[in-house]
Amino acid sequence: LASVVIIGAGHAGFQVAASLRQEGYDGKITLIGDEPGLPYQRPPLSKAYLLGKITETSLLFRPAEFFETQRIELLHDQATAVDRLNRRVLLASGAVATYDHLVLATGAHNRPLPVPGAELEGVFGIKAKADADVLAPLVKEARNVVVVGAGFIGLEFAAVAAALGATVHVLELGDRPMARALSREMSELFRDAHEHWGVHFDFRQGLARVIGENGRVCAVETSDGRTLPADLVVFGIGVIPNVQLATEAGLQIENGIKVDASLLTVDPQISALGDAACFPCLYNDEQPTRLESVQNAVDQGRCIAARLMGKPAPYSALPWFWTDQGNLKLQIAGLSTGYDSTVVLGSVEAREVSVLCFRNQHLVAVESCNRMGDHMAARKILARPPKLTPQTAAAEGFDLKAWEA
Ligand code: FAD
């Protein structure tokens, strides 16, 4: 392979480039990103970065010299088309990048807020550093904040806004926080914690419209017709994978760019990964699965780099995830999809809890709040047989770390 072109310079794209060099790849690497500046990490954007706890520099994966010494050519440009026949990527600037192998790491964009008034000033989704840079000074001054969607990003932001002294109101269509990915027990723990921090929840409640004054948000109207004052509205209602380039190039799309077990698209010269890709997940009965996490982007990046360097292997990493809200660190190992029973370890009062999620008597996920040791043990247990059963876990004095050892 003389040349690898990577579209998207986020977590996944950066990792492919870095891992290729680590694996000894000596050819040309072109990393194309349409955001300004050096590639950076997104997770702090809705947490520590907004609180001013970490600087711009510490968001970066690596300093500028890294790209020079590793001979990774970073192009600030937008890929506008993939010409598969001639193995070329066309760029907005008019430039052309030719490849022997192409990696699509285009990520996802925020699902837009589908109500009147969404275009008003003071209404935000958080995706890029540019969003957080505009939001950071505003949240420090905001008095009434409305968060739409009680998912991870919405609640991370709610915790930040509450800590900075705002009155925070969360509207959520479902009946509990983070319901898509969390057990009922862990949802309840986080609901209690947020309420303790002063966050108000409105479950089974949608947003009807955003109300403005002189082009700026001043209130929102809920689905049941109430008006809530708001000088800032932040929404986190899911993301949509960026598949336009892949679609136009004739690749298969199914909730993302469809790839096989080794993360190849239907074109053997094109791989896809990260938030943009849908792969047969071993931890989800090999169902087509799209995951939005740093772990997924990074491990898939390593898997693709290894394959390109002659070490092919099906992608098989255990999914894991974390979120920081207030003084709580939630870490999830595995996927709890379809769990049918749980065992709770630890102390709910102290908010040091692990929820073990079982499906058909098999451990499928462990959610740990402020129990880092359990999370690390769970990652090892879930990555290999034998499976832990609910009977064993429910026994008096059961200790996850001891069982793992
Ligand atoms: P991205 O990192 O989104 O990168 C894709 C890049 O491709 C973007 O820069 C995009 O602009 C660029 N691009 C797209 N199309 C083109 C094109 N045509 N030409 C050029 N460039 C293009 N995950 C966790 O595990 N834990 C967390 O706590 C956590 N917190 C998060 C908080 C926030 C605010 C956000 C937004 C995400 C968070 N995530 C978290 C999710 C995690 O950041 C993503 O899963 C990860 O970034 C996915 O990596 P990616 O490379 O696939 O996509």
Side-chain angles (χ1 to χ4, degrees):
L1 283 184
S3 163
V4 176
V5 170
I6 303 163
I7 305 179
H11 276 266
F14 171 79
Q15 188 65 47
V16 173
S19 292
L20 274 172
R21 287 294 183 238
Q22 259 164 17
E23 294 274 350
Y25 177 67
D26 198 36
K28 187 173 178 196
I29 301 178
T30 310
L31 182 59
I32 304 166
D34 60 3
E35 292 187 64
L38 293 171
Y40 63 90
Q41 315 172 47
R42 289 179 204 281
L45 297 179
S46 47
K47 342 181 175 27
Y49 187 64
L50 281 184
L51 285 166
K53 283 188 179 167
I54 71 162
T55 62
E56 206 168 327
T57 325
S58 48
L59 283 183
L60 302 179
F61 294 123
R62 291 298 172 90
E65 305 84 72
F66 173 84
F67 296 86
E68 279 166 39
T69 56
Q70 297 293 306
R71 293 180 296 117
I72 296 169
E73 188 187 2
L74 181 62
L75 291 185
H76 289 108
D77 211 329
Q78 189 184 30
T80 52
V82 176
D83 170 4
R84 283 167 58 192
L85 204 62
N86 299 301
R87 295 195 195 159
R88 304 184 308 162
V89 177
L90 312 187
L91 305 176
S93 64
V96 171
T98 51
Y99 63 84
D100 294 311
H101 197 86
L102 176 65
V103 178
L104 298 174
T106 47
H109 60 277
N110 284 331
R111 184 180 295 282
L113 201 54
V115 298
E119 72 294 344
L120 288 164
E121 250 179 73
V123 180
F124 287 88
I126 314 174
K127 187 73 198 172
K129 179 172 167 293
D131 302 321
D133 285 335
V134 183
L135 190 54
L138 297 178
V139 64
K140 292 196 178 87
E141 285 164 17
R143 298 179 55 175
N144 294 297
V145 170
V146 170
V147 174
V148 186
F152 293 115
I153 291 180
L155 289 193
E156 287 170 358
F157 179 76
V160 166
L164 291 173
T167 298
V168 183
H169 211 107
V170 179
L171 302 179
E172 163 62 46
L173 285 174
D175 64 354
R176 60 187 178 91
M178 302 175 280
R180 196 162 62 96
L182 274 197
S183 69
R184 191 162 282 282
E185 289 87 342
M186 194 55 90
S187 269
E188 290 309 322
L189 184 148
F190 272 81
R191 176 192 177 147
D192 279 354
H194 276 273
E195 285 175 345
H196 177 76
W197 300 326
V199 172
H200 308 273
F201 284 104
D202 239 322
F203 292 107
R204 298 185 194 83
Q205 191 60 247
L207 176 71
R209 63 186 178 112
V210 183
I211 302 166
E213 209 175 61
N214 302 324
R216 257 205 81 78
V217 55
C218 64
V220 302
E221 188 185 312
T222 58
S223 303
D224 63 358
R226 283 171 298 137
T227 302
L228 303 172
D231 35 34
L232 196 57
V233 173
V234 169
F235 61 95
I237 52 172
V239 300
I240 300 170
N242 292 327
V243 297
Q244 195 184 337
L245 277 179
T247 308
E248 287 170 5
L251 299 175
Q252 246 178 303
I253 307 296
E254 184 184 314
N255 178 30
I257 306 167
K258 194 169 181 192
V259 292
D260 67 11
S262 58
L263 310 175
L264 263 182
T265 67
V266 286
D267 182 333
Q269 264 77 46
I270 306 182
S271 304
L273 77 163
D275 281 16
C278 187
F279 68 101
C281 180
L282 276 184
Y283 291 87
N284 193 19
D285 297 331
E286 299 185 41
Q287 293 298 308
T289 304
R290 200 174 57 76
L291 296 175
E292 296 151 14
S293 72
V294 166
Q295 171 279 321
N296 182 66
V298 168
D299 285 338
Q300 291 192 337
R302 291 181 178 140
C303 174
I304 289 176
R307 162 163 51 75
L308 294 178
M309 290 306 288
K311 290 182 264 174
Y315 177 69
S316 62
L318 175 80
W320 56 265
F321 184 80
W322 82 94
T323 170
D324 297 319
Q325 298 172 27
N327 58 354
L328 302 183
K329 182 172 207 71
L330 171 64
Q331 295 165 295
I332 307 171
L335 299 175
S336 63
T337 329
Y339 77 93
D340 50 30
S341 68
T342 55
V343 172
V344 178
L345 305 177
S347 156
V348 175
E349 294 72 49
R351 299 208 174 99
E352 288 175 10
V353 168
S354 286
V355 179
L356 280 54
C357 300
F358 296 87
R359 180 159 46 112
N360 298 332
Q361 304 288 308
H362 288 300
L363 184 71
V364 289
V366 175
E367 305 163 348
S368 304
C369 178
N370 288 2
R371 279 171 76 101
M372 184 101 78
D374 275 6
H375 173 69
M376 297 315 290
R379 273 164 54 177
K380 291 187 191 158
I381 294 167
L382 285 161
R384 61 157 163 79
K387 299 275 168 66
L388 174 60
T389 65
Q391 287 78 9
T392 311
E396 187 69 27
F398 175 77
D399 185 286
L400 200 59
K401 282 173 279 176
W403 191 84
E404 190 279 319

